[in-house]
Amino acid sequence: MERHWYDVDLQAAAKEEALTRHDVMAHVHVFAQQCPAAAPIIHLGATSCYVGDNTDLIVLRDGLDLLLPRLVLCIERLADFAARHKALPTLGFTHLQPAQLTTVGKRACLWLQDLLMDERALRRVRGDLRFRGVKGTTGTQASFMALFNGDGAKVKQLDRLVTEMAGFASSFTISGQTYSRKVDVEVVNVLASLGATIHKLCSDIRLLANMKELEEPFEKTQIGSSAMAYKRNPMRSERCCSIARFLMTLPANTLQTAATQWLERTLDDSANRRITLSEAFLAADCVLLTLQNVVEGLVVYPKVIERHIRAELPFMSTENIIMAMVQAGGDRQVCHEKIRVLSHEAGAQVKQLGLDNDLIARVRADPYFAPIMGQLEALLDPTTFTGRAPDQVTEFIAEEVMPVVDSYKKEGKLNLNSAELKI
């Protein structure tokens, strides 16, 4: 048996399965032909789910071990982007309408925070995985009790040894013929949640690309549109959103499967799981690889951002102007009314005539504001409107991002680089 451990004859197994209509028994028959002395005891006391479910749990564990470093690598690269742009002011948007200023780096930290939550969720699910172990046909271990002449201690020892050999710390104490399909629900849910994070992140990039403030990588020879030669479509971000949207639909399958496991199990789970679990991991892998490529090559256009700020900042600066006038001895209510009238006039210029926002010019032309004329430039400095955003970025990366990244580096898990990516 040890000599034929890796001698898997897939063609012979396929022929057997065509006759038996049973995947596990097909391999049992082929193995028995390779090891005739062992043939009478191969699979003795076991059931197909001993093979299939334990294998699935190994695959789930190993799949998460592949995805987690990919996710953390994206986190590291995005953190570098956030740090480089932590102090660059940009318009914030609420309701997709211009709002108080933030910074480019601070916005990236919003994405990072969600990715960190996904890393924690994937790591938790991976840590919660247990082996099904040696439980027998309906989970009672009755067959193994017969094999060991009723010696329950030996049955437990066999269960423990097989579990340890498979690399798991523990196995389920209770199972039916299968491990609980709630495990699949938990695993696919966290993958789908990761998909939602990446969809939001890449949707933001697409919106910013529309505004020409931010752009994903775009090669010199890349074609954006077959018809419109000038186009620079964010196709990588669009691909992420497309596949992430598919990934987000998959938990419904796992929920249905868990809900319809009659009594100790039914077989209508099998074909569904083979598709759902595989595609969940493949989709998550795809969006993470593409996301890495995107965040490694993000391009920021500060001049465009500055132009957009200049168009909106006059309105946002009104509170600063009022405060400065009050400090110079003015009446707040009088100043407020002055600013209100001038703001409406400037707004009409922008909305009705399509002209630039000239609120500040109107303020300069009004003698009422003479006491603060020397302060206007300082009052309009965008960096004074971003609060603690730069410091928040620094603190967040140091206190929350880098401890996670460093833990993976310490374990030697971050071994991917951009050269491997052909997106």
Side-chain angles (χ1 to χ4, degrees):
M1 290 175 73
E2 287 182 348
R3 284 198 305 271
H4 289 282
W5 192 253
Y6 295 105
D7 185 14
V8 182
D9 192 338
L10 294 175
Q11 290 185 340
K15 291 179 181 178
E16 284 287 337
E17 188 173 351
L19 296 173
T20 62
R21 308 299 298 171
H22 198 290
D23 52 358
V24 173
M25 285 308 298
H27 282 278
V28 168
H29 288 169
V30 172
F31 199 24
Q33 292 166 12
Q34 294 170 323
C35 316
I41 61 168
I42 291 176
H43 206 62
L44 184 62
T47 183
S48 297
C49 284
Y50 166 78
V51 178
D53 272 37
N54 280 325
T55 300
D56 284 346
L57 288 162
I58 292 172
V59 171
L60 291 178
R61 178 198 65 197
D62 292 355
L64 290 169
D65 285 345
L66 289 171
L67 291 179
L68 276 163
R70 292 204 192 285
L71 171 56
V72 175
L73 195 60
C74 290
I75 289 171
E76 181 192 38
R77 302 294 160 83
L78 190 56
D80 177 66
F81 173 86
R84 283 187 281 115
H85 300 286
K86 65 181 181 181
L88 179 60
T90 188
L91 283 176
F93 285 85
T94 59
H95 311 273
L96 202 54
Q97 303 300 312
Q100 192 175 62
L101 268 59
T102 182
T103 70
V104 171
K106 170 63 187 300
R107 177 178 284 140
C109 285
L110 297 178
W111 304 333
L112 274 169
Q113 183 161 254
D114 287 352
L115 289 172
L116 284 175
M117 293 174 69
D118 292 315
E119 187 278 334
R120 185 168 64 247
L122 263 68
R123 183 160 36 87
R124 178 190 60 77
V125 166
R126 193 258 185 251
D128 286 348
L129 286 177
R130 289 193 281 172
F131 209 47
R132 181 178 179 269
V134 183
K135 296 299 190 296
T137 307
T138 58
T140 63
Q141 299 177 306
S143 300
F144 296 100
M145 286 291 285
L147 286 172
F148 287 107
N149 300 315
D151 190 335
K154 283 190 175 181
V155 175
K156 289 183 66 176
Q157 184 183 12
L158 176 65
D159 195 355
R160 179 180 57 78
L161 289 172
V162 172
T163 297
E164 290 176 357
M165 289 178 68
F168 284 81
S170 63
S171 65
F172 287 102
T173 304
I174 295 296
S175 78
Q177 189 173 86
T178 66
Y179 68 78
S180 171
R181 296 310 185 217
K182 293 282 284 184
V183 174
D184 297 345
V185 172
E186 291 189 350
V187 170
V188 176
N189 266 337
V190 296
L191 296 179
S193 182
L194 171 64
T197 295
I198 295 175
H199 193 294
K200 185 264 192 285
L201 191 166
C202 290
S203 293
D204 284 355
I205 291 174
R206 292 163 66 190
L207 291 169
L208 294 168
N210 169 262
M211 298 162 60
K212 297 180 174 55
E213 292 190 358
L214 188 70
E215 202 169 68
E216 67 175 33
F218 196 93
E219 282 95 30
K220 291 181 180 179
T221 57
Q222 184 174 331
I223 295 174
S225 168
S226 61
M228 294 164 280
Y230 62 89
K231 292 286 287 293
R232 293 171 71 93
N233 299 332
M235 63 89 168
R236 293 170 175 84
S237 297
E238 290 173 324
R239 184 186 306 164
C240 280
C241 289
S242 180
I243 297 174
R245 192 165 67 242
F246 167 74
L247 177 55
M248 289 186 286
T249 68
L250 295 178
N253 275 319
T254 62
L255 290 167
Q256 292 283 356
T257 295
T260 56
Q261 283 293 283
W262 301 348
L263 305 176
E264 277 62 53
R265 78 86 52 104
T266 59
L267 193 59
D268 60 350
D269 69 337
S270 181
N272 187 297
R273 291 176 66 252
R274 292 176 196 223
I275 298 170
T276 300
L277 295 178
S278 300
E279 292 191 342
F281 277 86
L282 288 170
D285 190 58
C286 180
V287 293
L288 283 172
L289 281 169
T290 311
L291 179 66
Q292 181 188 338
N293 181 261
V294 169
V295 298
E296 284 181 345
L298 284 176
V299 179
V300 177
Y301 294 105
K303 293 298 183 182
V304 177
I305 293 173
E306 182 183 350
R307 185 171 72 245
H308 292 160
I309 289 175
R310 284 202 308 267
E312 301 294 339
L313 193 60
F315 292 140
M316 296 178 191
S317 67
T318 54
E319 186 63 25
N320 285 7
I321 293 173
I322 293 172
M323 292 295 293
M325 279 298 297
V326 170
Q327 289 174 354
D331 183 297
R332 184 194 181 281
Q333 304 311 319
V334 174
C335 185
H336 183 279
E337 180 59 19
K338 284 274 189 181
I339 286 290
R340 186 188 69 81
V341 172
L342 295 179
S343 296
H344 282 213
E345 291 173 353
Q349 285 266 101
V350 173
K351 294 179 180 178
Q352 296 175 18
L353 302 178
L355 301 176
D356 291 339
N357 188 333
D358 66 350
L359 174 59
I360 300 305
R362 293 173 184 271
V363 171
R364 290 186 189 278
D366 193 324
Y368 175 79
F369 296 100
I372 63 166
M373 279 300 115
Q375 303 177 46
L376 270 182
E377 287 303 321
L379 294 174
L380 291 170
D381 181 359
T383 60
T384 65
F385 290 81
T386 59
R388 292 193 67 250
D391 292 332
Q392 287 178 338
V393 172
T394 300
E395 294 163 6
F396 175 68
I397 291 174
E399 297 170 10
E400 300 189 39
V401 177
M402 292 315 298
V404 173
V405 172
D406 289 343
S407 70
Y408 281 76
K409 286 183 176 180
K410 186 176 181 180
E411 295 174 15
K413 293 179 178 179
L414 291 188
N415 54 5
L416 295 174
N417 57 63
S418 57
E420 297 179 29
L421 300 178
K422 302 295 182 184
I423 303 300

Short mmCIF file of all heavy atoms in Angstrom, two decimals, residues 142-184:
data_model
loop_
_atom_site.label_atom_id
_atom_site.label_comp_id
_atom_site.label_asym_id
_atom_site.label_seq_id
_atom_site.Cartn_x
_atom_site.Cartn_y
_atom_site.Cartn_z
N ALA A 142 -19.77 2.78 15.04
CA ALA A 142 -20.16 1.39 15.36
C ALA A 142 -19.28 0.37 14.64
O ALA A 142 -18.87 -0.64 15.24
CB ALA A 142 -21.63 1.18 14.99
N SER A 143 -18.96 0.62 13.37
CA SER A 143 -18.13 -0.33 12.61
C SER A 143 -16.75 -0.46 13.24
O SER A 143 -16.19 -1.57 13.31
CB SER A 143 -17.99 0.14 11.17
OG SER A 143 -19.25 0.21 10.54
N PHE A 144 -16.21 0.64 13.70
CA PHE A 144 -14.87 0.60 14.29
C PHE A 144 -14.90 -0.03 15.68
O PHE A 144 -13.92 -0.66 16.10
CB PHE A 144 -14.29 2.00 14.32
CG PHE A 144 -14.07 2.57 12.95
CD1 PHE A 144 -14.97 3.46 12.39
CD2 PHE A 144 -13.00 2.15 12.18
CE1 PHE A 144 -14.79 3.96 11.12
CE2 PHE A 144 -12.80 2.65 10.90
CZ PHE A 144 -13.71 3.55 10.35
N MET A 145 -16.00 0.12 16.37
CA MET A 145 -16.15 -0.59 17.65
C MET A 145 -16.12 -2.09 17.40
O MET A 145 -15.51 -2.85 18.17
CB MET A 145 -17.46 -0.19 18.33
CG MET A 145 -17.43 1.20 18.96
SD MET A 145 -16.35 1.30 20.41
CE MET A 145 -17.37 0.44 21.63
N ALA A 146 -16.75 -2.55 16.31
CA ALA A 146 -16.72 -3.98 15.98
C ALA A 146 -15.31 -4.43 15.62
O ALA A 146 -14.85 -5.50 16.02
CB ALA A 146 -17.68 -4.25 14.82
N LEU A 147 -14.59 -3.60 14.87
CA LEU A 147 -13.23 -3.94 14.46
C LEU A 147 -12.29 -4.07 15.66
O LEU A 147 -11.38 -4.90 15.67
CB LEU A 147 -12.69 -2.88 13.50
CG LEU A 147 -13.24 -2.90 12.08
CD1 LEU A 147 -12.77 -1.68 11.31
CD2 LEU A 147 -12.80 -4.17 11.35
N PHE A 148 -12.53 -3.25 16.69
CA PHE A 148 -11.66 -3.26 17.87
C PHE A 148 -12.31 -4.00 19.05
O PHE A 148 -11.96 -3.76 20.20
CB PHE A 148 -11.30 -1.83 18.27
CG PHE A 148 -10.32 -1.15 17.35
CD1 PHE A 148 -10.73 -0.17 16.49
CD2 PHE A 148 -8.99 -1.54 17.34
CE1 PHE A 148 -9.84 0.45 15.63
CE2 PHE A 148 -8.08 -0.93 16.49
CZ PHE A 148 -8.50 0.06 15.62
N ASN A 149 -13.25 -4.87 18.71
CA ASN A 149 -13.87 -5.72 19.74
C ASN A 149 -14.43 -4.93 20.92
O ASN A 149 -14.26 -5.29 22.08
CB ASN A 149 -12.86 -6.76 20.25
CG ASN A 149 -12.37 -7.67 19.14
OD1 ASN A 149 -13.16 -8.15 18.33
ND2 ASN A 149 -11.06 -7.89 19.08
N GLY A 150 -15.08 -3.82 20.58
CA GLY A 150 -15.74 -3.04 21.61
C GLY A 150 -14.84 -2.15 22.42
O GLY A 150 -15.28 -1.56 23.42
N ASP A 151 -13.60 -1.99 22.02
CA ASP A 151 -12.65 -1.18 22.78
C ASP A 151 -12.77 0.29 22.31
O ASP A 151 -12.14 0.72 21.35
CB ASP A 151 -11.22 -1.68 22.55
CG ASP A 151 -10.22 -1.04 23.50
OD1 ASP A 151 -10.49 0.09 23.98
OD2 ASP A 151 -9.15 -1.63 23.75
N GLY A 152 -13.58 1.06 23.03
CA GLY A 152 -13.83 2.45 22.66
C GLY A 152 -12.59 3.31 22.73
O GLY A 152 -12.43 4.27 21.96
N ALA A 153 -11.66 3.00 23.64
CA ALA A 153 -10.43 3.78 23.77
C ALA A 153 -9.60 3.67 22.51
O ALA A 153 -8.99 4.66 22.05
CB ALA A 153 -9.64 3.30 24.98
N LYS A 154 -9.55 2.48 21.92
CA LYS A 154 -8.78 2.32 20.68
C LYS A 154 -9.45 3.05 19.52
O LYS A 154 -8.76 3.60 18.66
CB LYS A 154 -8.64 0.83 20.35
CG LYS A 154 -7.61 0.10 21.19
CD LYS A 154 -7.35 -1.29 20.67
CE LYS A 154 -6.23 -1.97 21.44
NZ LYS A 154 -5.95 -3.33 20.91
N VAL A 155 -10.77 3.05 19.49
CA VAL A 155 -11.48 3.78 18.44
C VAL A 155 -11.16 5.27 18.55
O VAL A 155 -10.88 5.93 17.54
CB VAL A 155 -12.99 3.53 18.53
CG1 VAL A 155 -13.74 4.40 17.51
CG2 VAL A 155 -13.32 2.06 18.30
N LYS A 156 -11.19 5.80 19.76
CA LYS A 156 -10.86 7.21 19.96
C LYS A 156 -9.41 7.49 19.58
O LYS A 156 -9.09 8.53 19.01
CB LYS A 156 -11.12 7.62 21.42
CG LYS A 156 -12.60 7.68 21.79
CD LYS A 156 -12.79 8.15 23.21
CE LYS A 156 -12.35 9.59 23.39
NZ LYS A 156 -12.63 10.09 24.77
N GLN A 157 -8.51 6.54 19.92
CA GLN A 157 -7.11 6.74 19.59
C GLN A 157 -6.91 6.76 18.07
O GLN A 157 -6.14 7.58 17.54
CB GLN A 157 -6.26 5.64 20.22
CG GLN A 157 -4.75 5.85 19.99
CD GLN A 157 -3.92 4.72 20.57
OE1 GLN A 157 -4.45 3.67 20.93
NE2 GLN A 157 -2.61 4.92 20.63
N LEU A 158 -7.59 5.84 17.36
CA LEU A 158 -7.51 5.83 15.89
C LEU A 158 -8.00 7.16 15.32
O LEU A 158 -7.36 7.74 14.43
CB LEU A 158 -8.34 4.68 15.34
CG LEU A 158 -8.42 4.60 13.81
CD1 LEU A 158 -7.06 4.31 13.20
CD2 LEU A 158 -9.45 3.55 13.37
N ASP A 159 -9.12 7.64 15.85
CA ASP A 159 -9.68 8.92 15.40
C ASP A 159 -8.65 10.04 15.60
O ASP A 159 -8.40 10.86 14.71
CB ASP A 159 -10.95 9.21 16.19
CG ASP A 159 -11.81 10.31 15.56
OD1 ASP A 159 -11.36 10.92 14.57
OD2 ASP A 159 -12.92 10.55 16.07
N ARG A 160 -8.02 10.05 16.77
CA ARG A 160 -7.04 11.09 17.07
C ARG A 160 -5.82 11.00 16.18
O ARG A 160 -5.32 12.01 15.66
CB ARG A 160 -6.63 10.99 18.55
CG ARG A 160 -5.59 12.01 18.97
CD ARG A 160 -5.21 11.85 20.43
NE ARG A 160 -4.70 10.53 20.74
CZ ARG A 160 -3.45 10.13 20.46
NH1 ARG A 160 -2.60 10.96 19.89
NH2 ARG A 160 -3.06 8.91 20.78
N LEU A 161 -5.31 9.79 15.96
CA LEU A 161 -4.11 9.61 15.14
C LEU A 161 -4.34 10.02 13.69
O LEU A 161 -3.50 10.69 13.07
CB LEU A 161 -3.65 8.15 15.20
CG LEU A 161 -3.05 7.68 16.53
CD1 LEU A 161 -2.82 6.17 16.52
CD2 LEU A 161 -1.74 8.40 16.81
N VAL A 162 -5.48 9.62 13.13
CA VAL A 162 -5.79 10.00 11.75
C VAL A 162 -5.95 11.51 11.64
O VAL A 162 -5.50 12.13 10.67
CB VAL A 162 -7.06 9.27 11.26
CG1 VAL A 162 -7.50 9.79 9.90
CG2 VAL A 162 -6.82 7.77 11.19
N THR A 163 -6.60 12.11 12.63
CA THR A 163 -6.79 13.56 12.64
C THR A 163 -5.44 14.28 12.66
O THR A 163 -5.21 15.24 11.91
CB THR A 163 -7.64 13.98 13.85
OG1 THR A 163 -8.94 13.40 13.74
CG2 THR A 163 -7.77 15.49 13.94
N GLU A 164 -4.53 13.82 13.51
CA GLU A 164 -3.21 14.44 13.60
C GLU A 164 -2.41 14.25 12.32
O GLU A 164 -1.72 15.17 11.86
CB GLU A 164 -2.45 13.86 14.80
CG GLU A 164 -3.03 14.29 16.14
CD GLU A 164 -2.33 13.63 17.31
OE1 GLU A 164 -1.42 12.78 17.07
OE2 GLU A 164 -2.67 13.94 18.47
N MET A 165 -2.52 13.06 11.71
CA MET A 165 -1.80 12.81 10.46
C MET A 165 -2.28 13.72 9.34
O MET A 165 -1.52 14.08 8.44
CB MET A 165 -1.96 11.34 10.04
CG MET A 165 -1.21 10.36 10.92
SD MET A 165 -1.49 8.65 10.42
CE MET A 165 -0.66 8.61 8.84
N ALA A 166 -3.55 14.12 9.40
CA ALA A 166 -4.11 15.01 8.39
C ALA A 166 -3.78 16.48 8.69
O ALA A 166 -4.12 17.36 7.90
CB ALA A 166 -5.61 14.83 8.30
N GLY A 167 -3.13 16.73 9.82
CA GLY A 167 -2.70 18.09 10.14
C GLY A 167 -3.74 18.93 10.86
O GLY A 167 -3.66 20.17 10.85
N PHE A 168 -4.71 18.29 11.50
CA PHE A 168 -5.74 19.03 12.24
C PHE A 168 -5.52 18.85 13.74
O PHE A 168 -5.07 17.80 14.21
CB PHE A 168 -7.14 18.52 11.88
CG PHE A 168 -7.63 19.00 10.55
CD1 PHE A 168 -7.23 18.38 9.38
CD2 PHE A 168 -8.49 20.09 10.46
CE1 PHE A 168 -7.68 18.81 8.14
CE2 PHE A 168 -8.94 20.53 9.24
CZ PHE A 168 -8.54 19.90 8.06
N ALA A 169 -5.85 19.89 14.49
CA ALA A 169 -5.70 19.84 15.94
C ALA A 169 -6.80 19.03 16.59
O ALA A 169 -6.59 18.45 17.67
CB ALA A 169 -5.67 21.25 16.52
N SER A 170 -7.97 19.00 15.96
CA SER A 170 -9.10 18.29 16.57
C SER A 170 -10.07 17.83 15.49
O SER A 170 -10.02 18.31 14.36
CB SER A 170 -9.83 19.18 17.58
OG SER A 170 -10.39 20.30 16.92
N SER A 171 -10.93 16.90 15.88
CA SER A 171 -11.98 16.44 14.97
C SER A 171 -13.33 16.69 15.64
O SER A 171 -13.42 16.95 16.85
CB SER A 171 -11.82 14.95 14.66
OG SER A 171 -12.01 14.17 15.83
N PHE A 172 -14.39 16.60 14.85
CA PHE A 172 -15.73 16.75 15.40
C PHE A 172 -16.03 15.58 16.33
O PHE A 172 -15.79 14.42 15.99
CB PHE A 172 -16.77 16.78 14.28
CG PHE A 172 -16.79 18.05 13.49
CD1 PHE A 172 -16.20 18.10 12.23
CD2 PHE A 172 -17.38 19.20 14.00
CE1 PHE A 172 -16.20 19.28 11.50
CE2 PHE A 172 -17.38 20.38 13.28
CZ PHE A 172 -16.79 20.42 12.03
N THR A 173 -16.55 15.88 17.50
CA THR A 173 -17.02 14.83 18.39
C THR A 173 -18.31 14.22 17.85
O THR A 173 -18.52 13.01 17.94
CB THR A 173 -17.28 15.40 19.81
OG1 THR A 173 -16.08 16.02 20.28
CG2 THR A 173 -17.71 14.30 20.77
N ILE A 174 -19.13 15.06 17.25
CA ILE A 174 -20.43 14.64 16.73
C ILE A 174 -20.48 14.88 15.23
O ILE A 174 -20.11 15.95 14.74
CB ILE A 174 -21.57 15.45 17.40
CG1 ILE A 174 -21.65 15.15 18.89
CG2 ILE A 174 -22.91 15.17 16.72
CD1 ILE A 174 -22.02 13.72 19.22
N SER A 175 -20.92 13.87 14.51
CA SER A 175 -21.19 14.05 13.08
C SER A 175 -22.26 13.05 12.66
O SER A 175 -22.47 12.03 13.34
CB SER A 175 -19.93 13.84 12.24
OG SER A 175 -19.64 12.47 12.09
N GLY A 176 -22.93 13.36 11.55
CA GLY A 176 -23.76 12.35 10.92
C GLY A 176 -22.87 11.60 9.95
O GLY A 176 -21.70 11.35 10.23
N GLN A 177 -23.42 11.27 8.78
CA GLN A 177 -22.56 10.65 7.78
C GLN A 177 -21.57 11.66 7.22
O GLN A 177 -20.50 11.30 6.75
CB GLN A 177 -23.41 10.06 6.64
CG GLN A 177 -22.59 9.21 5.69
CD GLN A 177 -23.45 8.50 4.67
OE1 GLN A 177 -23.76 9.06 3.63
NE2 GLN A 177 -23.86 7.27 5.00
N THR A 178 -21.93 12.95 7.31
CA THR A 178 -21.07 14.02 6.82
C THR A 178 -20.71 14.96 7.98
O THR A 178 -21.34 14.92 9.04
CB THR A 178 -21.79 14.85 5.75
OG1 THR A 178 -22.89 15.55 6.34
CG2 THR A 178 -22.31 13.96 4.62
N TYR A 179 -19.70 15.79 7.75
CA TYR A 179 -19.52 16.90 8.69
C TYR A 179 -20.65 17.89 8.45
O TYR A 179 -21.25 17.93 7.37
CB TYR A 179 -18.14 17.56 8.53
CG TYR A 179 -17.89 18.31 7.24
CD1 TYR A 179 -18.40 19.59 7.03
CD2 TYR A 179 -17.11 17.76 6.22
CE1 TYR A 179 -18.16 20.30 5.86
CE2 TYR A 179 -16.86 18.45 5.04
CZ TYR A 179 -17.39 19.71 4.87
OH TYR A 179 -17.16 20.41 3.71
N SER A 180 -20.97 18.69 9.44
CA SER A 180 -22.09 19.63 9.30
C SER A 180 -21.87 20.57 8.12
O SER A 180 -20.80 21.16 7.97
CB SER A 180 -22.23 20.47 10.58
OG SER A 180 -23.16 21.51 10.38
N ARG A 181 -22.88 20.69 7.28
CA ARG A 181 -22.77 21.57 6.12
C ARG A 181 -22.80 23.04 6.52
O ARG A 181 -22.64 23.92 5.68
CB ARG A 181 -23.88 21.26 5.11
CG ARG A 181 -23.79 19.85 4.51
CD ARG A 181 -22.41 19.55 4.00
NE ARG A 181 -22.31 18.26 3.32
CZ ARG A 181 -21.28 17.45 3.40
NH1 ARG A 181 -20.23 17.78 4.18
NH2 ARG A 181 -21.25 16.32 2.73
N LYS A 182 -22.98 23.30 7.81
CA LYS A 182 -22.82 24.67 8.31
C LYS A 182 -21.37 25.14 8.13
O LYS A 182 -21.11 26.34 8.03
CB LYS A 182 -23.20 24.76 9.78
CG LYS A 182 -24.67 24.52 10.08
CD LYS A 182 -25.52 25.74 9.77
CE LYS A 182 -25.34 26.80 10.84
NZ LYS A 182 -26.24 27.96 10.60
N VAL A 183 -20.43 24.20 8.09
CA VAL A 183 -19.03 24.56 7.85
C VAL A 183 -18.90 25.23 6.49
O VAL A 183 -18.24 26.27 6.34
CB VAL A 183 -18.13 23.32 7.93
CG1 VAL A 183 -16.69 23.68 7.54
CG2 VAL A 183 -18.16 22.73 9.33
N ASP A 184 -19.55 24.63 5.48
CA ASP A 184 -19.50 25.22 4.14
C ASP A 184 -20.14 26.60 4.13
O ASP A 184 -19.67 27.51 3.43
CB ASP A 184 -20.21 24.32 3.13
CG ASP A 184 -19.55 22.96 2.99
OD1 ASP A 184 -18.40 22.81 3.44
OD2 ASP A 184 -20.19 22.05 2.43
#
